Amino acid sequence: MKNLLVELNKGLKKKTHAEADIKCFVTYVQDLPNGKETGKFLALDLGGTNFRVLLIHLKAENEFEMLSKIYAIPKNIMVGTGKQLFDHIAECLANFMKEHQVYKERLPLGFTFSFPLTQLGLTKGLLVRWTKGFDCEGVVGVDVVQLLKDAIARRGDVQIEVCAILNDTTGTLMSCAWKNHNTRIGLIVGTGSNACYVEKVENAEMFDVPENKKPHVIINTEWGAFGDNGALDFVRTEFDRDIDENSINPGSQLQEKMISGMYLGELARLVIQKFTKSGHLFGGKGSELLFKRWKFFTKYVSEIESDKPGVFTNCREVMEELGLGHATDEDCANVRYICECISRRAAHLVSAGIAVLINKMEEPNVTVGVDGSVYRFHPKFHDLMMEKTRQYVNPGINFDLMLSEDGSGRGAALVAAVASRETQ
C-alpha cells in the first residue's frame, strides 16, 4: 500500500509524471450524475473485437430504457487503416439509428474507448498505443474523437454530437453514481484490471484548465502497470516471472498479471504443473493439456471454488476435461487449495489498492463501483475483498462494493448526459 501510494503521487505530479508507472491520466470528467438526468443518449463502446451501440432513454426516478446491438469488427479492419475502422463504426451507428427511428434527431453520444489514451479534454483523446489485437495505421498519437467525427461527417446522413470520451472504469463509476451518490471509485477486475477515482483538482497537477472552478476531477490510474519498476518484486513468485516472460508484453502490466482474468488460470496451471512434475499431484502423472500453456482457463478456478467443502463435482469435471481422470480426492483438495491461494492473493492485492484510494480521499462514506468477469463470476471474490479492504481502510470510514450493471454502456451515456446538462 505504501509503494502504491508513492507511485500514484508520482503519476499525479507534473515533475514525475513522465517517469511514473501508474500514469494517473486526467479524464476531464468533473461532475457526477445527480440522478436528475433525463433524455435520449447514444453510447458507443469499443474495447475489443466487437463494439456495441446503445440508445439509452433516461427517465426520472432512476428509471431508464436501453436498446443495444453488438457489431463485429472484421479482422482485416482491425489491422487496416484508421479511416476504415471509423468508417465502419459510423456506418453501424447510422444503421442503428435508422433501425430505432432516431435518424432525424440530433443526439449526444458518449464514447467508451478502452485503450490507453492521453486526454486533452472531455472530447479529445490521443491514442497512446493499440492493444487487444488492434493495429490500425494512422491512429496512434491522433485524436480518436476527431476521427469518429470525420467519419460521421463523411457520411453526412446522421446528426451526432460526441460529448465525451472515457474508458471503462470511468463508465463503471458514472453508472453506479447514478444510482448511489456515494460512488467515488470505479474498478475493473476482468480480463484486465484498472481503477479510477475522484481526486481533488489541486492534487491533479496534470489537469491544465484555466478558469476551472470545480473542486474535483476523475483520475484514471491505469494501475495495471504498478510494479513495472520493481515495486512489487518482493511479492512476485517464480510463477509470476514465468507468466511475464512468456506474455506478449514482458516487463509491463505486472500488477495486472497477478490479479486479472487473463492470467489467473495460467498461474494455477503453472503451480499445478510444478507439483505434478515433483510427484506431489496425480501420482506424478500429468496430461498433454495440463502441460500446455493457457489451457487451464480462469473459469476453471471459479468452477472449482464453487464446489461445497468436501465435494469435488466441478473439480472432477475440470480434471476430466484436462485428461486427468485419474485424480484422487486428495488431488482435488490440493488443486482447490492452489486455486484458492491464487484467487485470495488477487483479491487481497485489489483490496490493498482500493483501500489506498479510499484512505486518500478521506471521505466518510465511499461506494466502489465494480465490473469485470472475475469479480462478477468468482464465487468468493466479493467476500474476500470486503474482508480485506475492511482491515486496511482507516477507522471511521464506511465503504461498500457495488456491482455495476452495464457500466461501459450506460456510463458513457451518463457522461454525455452530464456534459450536455452542463452546457445547457
Side-chain angles (χ1 to χ4, degrees), residues 136-358:
C136 300
E137 66 177 75
V139 187
V140 172
V142 177
D143 175 14
V144 292
V145 175
Q146 196 54 52
L147 292 176
L148 177 62
K149 284 179 174 171
D150 292 347
I152 293 166
R154 274 196 293 277
R155 295 185 61 81
D157 58 351
V158 282
Q159 299 285 304
I160 298 171
E161 186 190 351
V162 185
C163 283
I165 185 161
L166 61 150
N167 82 347
D168 48 2
T169 51
T170 307
T172 297
L173 192 160
M174 295 295 278
S175 185
C176 290
W178 189 58
K179 283 198 162 169
N180 180 323
H181 300 328
N182 291 328
T183 309
R184 293 291 178 274
I185 295 173
L187 169 69
I188 304 279
V189 195
T191 308
S193 177
N194 189 17
C196 69
Y197 72 103
V198 176
E199 180 58 277
K200 295 185 184 78
V201 163
E202 68 252 31
N203 296 336
E205 292 183 8
M206 302 299 289
F207 185 36
D208 221 358
V209 176
E211 303 302 303
N212 177 55
K213 300 287 187 287
K214 291 172 184 168
H216 297 103
V217 64
I218 295 178
I219 295 291
N220 165 23
T221 64
E222 290 291 343
W223 80 4
F226 179 41
D228 290 6
N229 63 356
L232 277 172
D233 285 359
F234 72 103
V235 286
R236 290 179 72 228
T237 63
E238 61 187 274
F239 311 108
D240 295 308
R241 287 189 281 278
D242 187 320
I243 280 236
D244 180 49
E245 283 158 17
N246 291 284
S247 68
I248 54 169
N249 53 348
S252 66
Q253 299 294 99
L254 293 190
Q255 169 166 275
E256 186 167 78
K257 288 171 182 165
M258 297 168 82
I259 54 185
S260 78
M262 191 162 178
Y263 306 100
L264 293 181
E266 178 66 2
L267 275 170
R269 191 194 69 80
L270 289 167
V271 180
I272 295 165
Q273 173 177 273
K274 179 178 179 171
F275 287 122
T276 304
K277 288 185 170 172
S278 66
H280 292 82
L281 276 174
F282 314 124
K285 182 170 168 276
S287 71
E288 193 188 336
L289 280 176
L290 176 65
F291 295 150
K292 208 168 181 182
R293 287 196 182 274
W294 308 105
K295 288 299 177 189
F296 193 99
F297 307 125
T298 297
K299 69 171 186 172
Y300 291 164
V301 176
S302 294
E303 286 166 6
I304 288 167
E305 290 192 56
S306 297
D307 276 331
K308 289 189 169 61
V311 177
F312 302 113
T313 318
N314 292 344
C315 189
R316 288 206 165 279
E317 277 185 21
V318 170
M319 296 300 102
E320 289 283 347
E321 275 184 50
L322 291 167
L324 299 162
H326 55 288
T328 64
D329 275 6
E330 192 183 359
D331 288 329
C332 287
N334 283 325
V335 165
R336 175 153 76 199
Y337 177 68
I338 289 167
C339 290
E340 284 169 352
C341 289
I342 284 162
S343 308
R344 191 182 308 122
R345 180 184 73 161
H348 288 178
L349 280 166
V350 176
S351 303
I354 286 301
V356 168
L357 297 178
I358 292 173

Side-chain angles (χ1 to χ4, degrees), residues 382-401:
H382 171 86
D383 295 347
L384 286 166
M385 275 190 68
M386 285 300 289
E387 182 190 3
K388 206 62 179 177
T389 309
R390 195 169 284 121
Q391 280 180 18
Y392 294 151
V393 163
N394 292 339
I397 297 177
N398 293 312
F399 76 93
D400 192 22
L401 303 177

